[in-house]
Amino acid sequence: ADIISTVEFNHSGELLATGDKGGRVVIFQQEQENKTQSHSRGEYNVYSTFQSHEPEFDYLKSLEIEEKINKIRWLPQKNAAQFLLSTNDKTIKLWKISERDKRPEGYNLKEEDGRYRDPTTVTTLRVPVFRPMDLMVEASPRRIFANAHTYHINSISINSDYETYLSADDLRINLWHLEITDRSFNIVDIKPANMEELTEVITAAEFHPNSCSTFVYSSSKGTIRLCDMRASALCDRHSKLFEEPEDPSNRSFFSEIISSISDVKFSHSGRYMMTRDYLSVKIWDLNMENRPVETYQVHEYLRSKLCSLYENDCIFDKFECCWNGLDRQVEFFSVFHGSIVMTGSYNNFFRMFDRNSKRDVTLEASRENNKPRTVLKPRKVCGSGKRKKDEISVDSLDFNKKILHTAWHPKENIIAVATTNNLYIFQDKMN
Amino acid sequence: MLGKGGKRKFDEHEDGLEGKVVSPTDGPSKVSYTLQRQTIFNISLMKLYNHRPLTEPSLQKTVLINNMLRRIQEELKQEGSLRPMFVTASQPADPLSDNFREAQPAFSHLASQPLLPTDFVSTMPLESCLTPASLLEDDTFCTSPTVQHDGPTKPPPPALQAVKDSFSSALDEIEELCPAPTSAEAVAAETAADDSKAHPSESSIHKPEGLPESRTAESKLMDSLPGNFEITASTGFLTDLTLDDILFADIDTSMYDFDPCTSATGAASKMAPVSADELLKTLAPYSSQPVTPNQPFKMDLTELDHIMEVLVGS
């Protein structure tokens, strides 16, 4: 139940939210930077914990509805409170997280501990005043968006208008207004009239970061469709279809399965998008539909193991990917965003690819192999053949230790990496 | 009988492939390709039929596995196109039901040795080791799900759900059967595909809705047949074999094995040979005549009065 199922920084990076299989959301807050200690950024400590979703039972189908949090998305901050959307398979909730650091004291009829005073002892009247108290963080559900999805919700994405958002399940995408919970508009429906003809499902969807009428959705066949909501109410016909022709030399029984896209993320500029399939990360230029501009192999050594991975279901693991944020020291140069992409792998490894230098690195998130405050040692996986010193053989990889969720601070080089049960926060070495 | 038939097909298939091989050097790699394909095929079937989750299984996973099965089947068909029995002229444009029917021979050789697990069967729970009917049961669970997986885990309250579910789903099936018997399969599939209100339980329990629909149109109909009601009404969830045999001798009675978990193992093993025979009769996978989806429909119509009597009576 403590399996982490989603990780997301808020827009400022001060808060980091995680959702888990038990329906809980845990929010971490970065300590205010100590100006004198310039060699260390603030640490993240637990800020708030609340139960977002409870398990439910669908009586019509006689099935349990998991409380696992599939996605969390933060709203940009508009006032003192923070808002986030969290979703399980069926229901999306808008949570308000607010701080309380004062409380009224000096009631006339109540003691400080809440007990009622004997009215006969009240001889004077006083006005209650607010006095400081220990910080209390409260989370309350403000909206519940339910009963709009027959299938399992895999994505939510807030529009750049900050008023609407989309939620996508296996076959449909719905558009919501954040204020309205009893109505949503269906904007994509790929359910065939005859379910036997179903061969493709929606795997992820995201709004364009700048254009509020544009969104993309990816499929289990490795295609991405870009749709424009201005074209029609039901965006069943895409405006653009991104698909790379299959490489005939790599054809296998599992070609389709490994081409299934598990995550899609726009770059901050909106010019590029990144997709993750089972073995690779691809960068697409929105202006070019017939192939990605870059492809990075995450764990090509698994290609010869696909049959075993199919048998043990690992081939269906859904890895996410993320772009780096803006490097604070050079934030005037927007080219620095999008220069690094990160994604997870097995054996608690995660990978980073530098798009400019074309270098890549494999790092490990584990307590045993890394002491705190030491630089992570790069790892290398070798094939089943000869193994050099310090290399790990592909046959000794632990496929139960998978890093599916990673997140990058929007402004600093701080990353959050979730292993099955633990959250690791790494920062780059500052000199 | 069924098992031998299945094996024969496999052997001939393999022999045929080897016979077709152009050069001797191609032989081993072709065979290993075939073996791998068969392995993947079996694994895929295992995944689809043995999964008994408490929550809905992932639609994406099911679709991908289904596509895999379809592709392998297409390959098999193309390769076996020389052989008449692989050619089904009047094949319904229904790959999923093809999968279902073709799945039977894959497991049919298991049926002949119900207590002898093969490599794959050995990883399955004991109940499903016993018969291929247990695999069919998973399709049956599309309409009477809670009986199956709630049986061992959560006894009485979901049992009530099961009665209601099979009841309501069967009612729906009956309604669907009435208007258009010949197109009932499509209709049943359609209505089952309608996820929401009216036809709640009949579609996706183990699998996302629609996928097993037409392929298990037969099983759906089976569920709607009176035997089910009599069983659930009178004995709880124990199958009443004699009643089934009397009423539906020509129909695959293995569909009624919806609850091996709670029924006595004796009953389960007793059902094995019956179901294997019925599999042969009703699911002639490689025959060129259209498989009998229509026959059960016609028979069901005649039993509708009986069903209504039981419903009204209970």
Side-chain angles (χ1 to χ4, degrees):
Chain A
D2 280 330
I3 295 172
I4 299 172
S5 52
T6 185
V7 180
E8 188 81 0
F9 280 99
N10 76 337
H11 291 256
S12 66
E14 185 203 353
L15 298 176
L16 174 64
T18 62
D20 67 25
K21 197 156 171 267
R24 277 190 328 161
V25 170
V26 180
I27 303 178
F28 299 86
Q29 184 188 41
Q30 189 178 25
E31 276 174 9
Q32 290 309 307
E33 269 193 37
N34 194 330
K35 297 295 181 213
T36 61
Q37 285 188 314
S38 60
H39 61 270
S40 159
R41 296 190 183 89
E43 282 193 0
Y44 281 84
N45 302 311
V46 177
Y47 176 68
S48 170
T49 304
F50 58 92
Q51 187 74 30
S52 172
H53 287 73
E54 297 278 359
E56 285 171 33
F57 194 76
D58 181 340
Y59 290 98
L60 291 180
K61 294 184 188 172
S62 296
L63 287 173
E64 288 178 9
I65 298 173
E66 271 193 296
E67 67 273 31
K68 171 167 74 88
I69 308 293
N70 292 336
K71 282 286 180 329
I72 289 175
R73 289 287 181 262
W74 289 93
L75 265 70
Q77 190 173 13
K78 286 193 286 194
N79 51 35
Q82 301 277 356
F83 288 87
L84 60 79
L85 284 175
S86 77
T87 184
N88 69 348
D89 283 339
K90 298 285 186 181
T91 305
I92 307 132
K93 295 189 183 180
L94 177 69
W95 286 89
K96 175 180 175 183
I97 297 108
S98 48
E99 292 184 359
R100 189 196 294 263
D101 60 356
K102 301 185 209 4
R103 63 178 182 153
E105 286 177 17
Y107 283 104
N108 291 293
L109 296 174
K110 282 196 293 188
E111 303 283 1
E112 295 310 330
D113 58 7
R115 280 181 305 144
Y116 281 97
R117 291 169 72 183
D118 180 359
T120 58
T121 65
V122 177
T123 53
T124 61
L125 286 178
R126 55 187 176 170
V127 177
V129 292
F130 276 93
R131 295 208 196 282
M133 59 179 259
D134 289 339
L135 178 66
M136 196 166 75
V137 181
E138 299 170 323
S140 59
R142 306 304 287 180
R143 306 270 186 279
I144 297 182
F145 305 91
N147 300 324
H149 285 279
T150 310
Y151 303 97
H152 293 176
I153 298 174
N154 52 54
S155 313
I156 47 176
S157 175
I158 300 172
N159 204 348
S160 48
D161 63 10
Y162 299 145
E163 283 187 355
T164 56
Y165 74 95
L166 63 76
S167 58
D169 66 29
D170 293 311
L171 296 179
R172 297 193 178 100
I173 301 179
N174 293 331
L175 180 70
W176 302 83
H177 192 284
L178 283 165
E179 300 290 329
I180 299 170
T181 59
D182 61 356
R183 210 178 333 143
S184 78
F185 294 97
N186 178 239
I187 51 178
V188 172
D189 189 340
I190 64 167
K191 184 180 172 192
N194 188 353
M195 278 293 275
E196 303 150 26
E197 292 162 8
L198 179 65
T199 58
E200 192 174 8
V201 298
I202 297 171
T203 53
E206 194 177 56
F207 265 118
H208 190 277
N210 304 322
S211 165
C212 61
S213 46
T214 309
F215 66 94
V216 295
Y217 68 93
S218 60
S219 82
S220 56
K221 283 195 173 166
T223 65
I224 308 105
R225 286 172 175 80
L226 183 141
C227 300
D228 190 324
M229 295 195 291
R230 295 166 294 192
S232 70
L234 188 62
C235 302
D236 272 356
R237 284 194 311 201
H238 52 263
S239 300
K240 292 195 188 209
L241 174 68
F242 298 85
E243 185 173 16
E244 184 175 23
E246 194 183 356
D247 177 4
S249 63
N250 269 336
R251 190 143 180 28
S252 77
F253 286 109
F254 307 101
S255 292
E256 188 195 350
I257 297 182
I258 62 169
S259 75
S260 175
I261 292 173
S262 50
D263 194 16
V264 64
K265 292 262 170 50
F266 275 105
S267 68
H268 287 9
S269 64
R271 165 88 190 267
Y272 298 96
M273 66 178 174
M274 168 166 55
T275 58
R276 175 72 154 96
D277 50 73
Y278 189 63
L279 295 179
S280 67
V281 165
K282 294 180 180 169
I283 312 288
W284 302 79
D285 184 325
L286 286 197
N287 298 320
M288 188 161 75
E289 298 171 56
N290 58 356
R291 60 177 177 83
V293 290
E294 291 153 36
T295 302
Y296 300 100
Q297 299 302 332
V298 180
H299 35 219
E300 181 71 9
Y301 45 79
L302 295 182
R303 197 179 284 273
S304 54
K305 311 276 177 199
L306 291 178
C307 197
S308 317
L309 294 166
Y310 179 63
E311 200 171 1
N312 64 16
D313 273 357
C314 281
I315 208 174
F316 299 106
D317 286 336
K318 296 193 192 155
F319 292 95
E320 291 173 11
C321 53
C322 63
W323 300 86
N324 68 328
L326 287 165
D327 186 327
R328 216 158 71 123
Q329 292 167 329
V330 288
E331 66 186 355
F332 302 111
F333 300 98
S334 60
V335 70
F336 275 81
H337 160 71
S339 60
I340 307 178
V341 296
M342 174 169 69
T343 188
S345 177
Y346 293 105
N347 211 66
N348 282 347
F349 288 167
F350 60 100
R351 304 264 282 138
M352 288 194 201
F353 301 93
D354 185 328
R355 294 176 61 208
N356 297 323
S357 66
K358 303 300 179 201
R359 286 182 312 179
D360 62 84
V361 68
T362 304
L363 301 170
E364 183 179 1
S366 89
R367 265 192 292 248
E368 296 86 33
N369 294 336
N370 298 296
K371 294 202 189 59
R373 307 207 183 283
T374 60
V375 174
L376 293 175
K377 202 173 68 164
R379 303 274 172 208
K380 191 147 163 47
V381 179
C382 61
S384 308
K386 285 198 307 181
R387 186 177 83 91
K388 297 201 200 84
K389 177 178 177 296
D390 274 352
E391 282 186 1
I392 292 122
S393 158
V394 63
D395 298 309
S396 59
L397 291 175
D398 187 342
F399 290 96
N400 292 321
K401 294 185 181 167
K402 45 192 100 173
I403 292 181
L404 302 173
H405 312 286
T406 59
W408 203 301
H409 192 290
K411 298 196 166 64
E412 299 175 22
N413 281 343
I414 298 175
I415 58 174
V417 173
T419 59
T420 308
N421 296 106
N422 297 310
L423 181 71
Y424 291 80
I425 298 178
F426 300 109
Q427 61 187 39
D428 68 348
K429 203 168 72 145
M430 291 173 75
N431 294 318
Chain B
M1 185 163 61
L2 180 66
K4 281 177 197 158
K7 277 180 189 160
R8 235 183 289 132
K9 282 167 194 150
F10 277 28
D11 293 341
E12 282 177 307
H13 190 63
E14 303 257 61
D15 291 339
L17 277 177
E18 298 208 35
K20 281 191 316 185
V21 162
V22 175
S23 72
T25 56
D26 280 349
S29 59
K30 185 74 176 173
V31 168
S32 69
Y33 175 85
T34 314
L35 279 173
Q36 194 196 20
R37 180 173 62 193
Q38 191 58 51
T39 308
I40 294 171
F41 189 81
N42 290 341
I43 294 173
S44 307
L45 285 173
M46 286 289 155
K47 285 188 189 300
L48 279 184
Y49 287 104
N50 283 336
H51 197 39
R52 291 171 189 174
L54 296 169
T55 58
E56 261 177 296
S58 158
L59 181 63
Q60 179 196 1
K61 197 166 143 186
T62 310
V63 164
L64 288 172
I65 296 172
N66 242 301
N67 290 349
M68 173 83 86
L69 286 170
R70 269 184 237 195
R71 226 175 303 124
I72 294 179
Q73 265 207 318
E74 282 308 311
E75 264 188 36
L76 288 172
K77 284 204 180 79
Q78 282 166 15
E79 282 173 5
S81 58
L82 300 172
R83 200 177 312 279
M85 68 182 189
F86 280 84
V87 174
T88 54
S90 55
Q91 198 96 39
D94 181 356
L96 288 179
S97 62
D98 287 348
N99 285 346
F100 179 71
R101 288 195 293 273
E102 310 240 13
Q104 301 323 308
F107 289 96
S108 57
H109 63 283
L110 294 178
S112 66
Q113 324 157 54
L115 302 175
L116 237 180
T118 64
D119 293 344
F120 300 112
V121 173
S122 58
T123 62
M124 290 150 56
L126 183 59
E127 305 91 34
S128 46
C129 279
L130 292 177
T131 73
S134 65
L135 304 167
L136 296 173
E137 284 151 16
D138 284 317
D139 291 333
T140 311
F141 295 132
C142 298
T143 51
S144 56
T146 55
V147 179
Q148 157 56 28
H149 55 244
D150 285 347
T153 54
K154 310 182 213 170
L160 298 174
Q161 307 283 341
V163 178
K164 193 165 61 96
D165 288 346
S166 56
F167 187 97
S168 58
S169 68
L171 265 184
D172 295 333
E173 315 240 23
I174 295 166
E175 288 166 11
E176 295 310 319
L177 284 175
C178 289
T182 52
S183 64
E185 182 175 289
V187 173
E190 253 179 59
T191 55
D194 183 3
D195 10 293
S196 47
K197 325 93 190 178
H199 311 282
S201 62
E202 66 191 67
S203 44
S204 63
I205 309 301
H206 289 286
K207 306 164 194 69
E209 46 210 317
L211 275 176
E213 281 154 38
S214 67
R215 84 161 83 163
T216 61
E218 296 162 15
S219 61
K220 282 208 176 94
L221 296 165
M222 307 308 168
D223 289 330
S224 70
L225 294 170
N228 245 7
F229 291 106
E230 306 218 19
I231 293 165
T232 56
S234 57
T235 64
F237 300 105
L238 298 177
T239 56
D240 187 343
L241 299 175
T242 54
L243 189 58
D244 288 352
D245 290 344
I246 291 169
L247 292 176
F248 311 106
D250 290 338
I251 297 174
D252 185 350
T253 57
S254 64
M255 301 300 176
Y256 297 117
D257 299 338
F258 61 87
D259 198 10
C261 303
T262 57
S263 65
T265 51
S269 53
K270 184 179 165 192
M271 289 299 287
V274 174
S275 60
D277 289 339
E278 297 312 322
L279 274 175
L280 250 189
K281 284 183 198 166
T282 60
L283 302 169
Y286 296 109
S287 68
S288 53
Q289 53 184 316
V291 182
T292 58
N294 293 330
Q295 291 178 14
F297 287 91
K298 288 176 190 146
M299 294 183 63
D300 293 347
L301 287 176
T302 64
E303 303 300 338
L304 286 175
D305 287 339
H306 188 71
I307 294 171
M308 293 313 298
E309 273 175 40
V310 171
L311 290 175
V312 170
S314 63

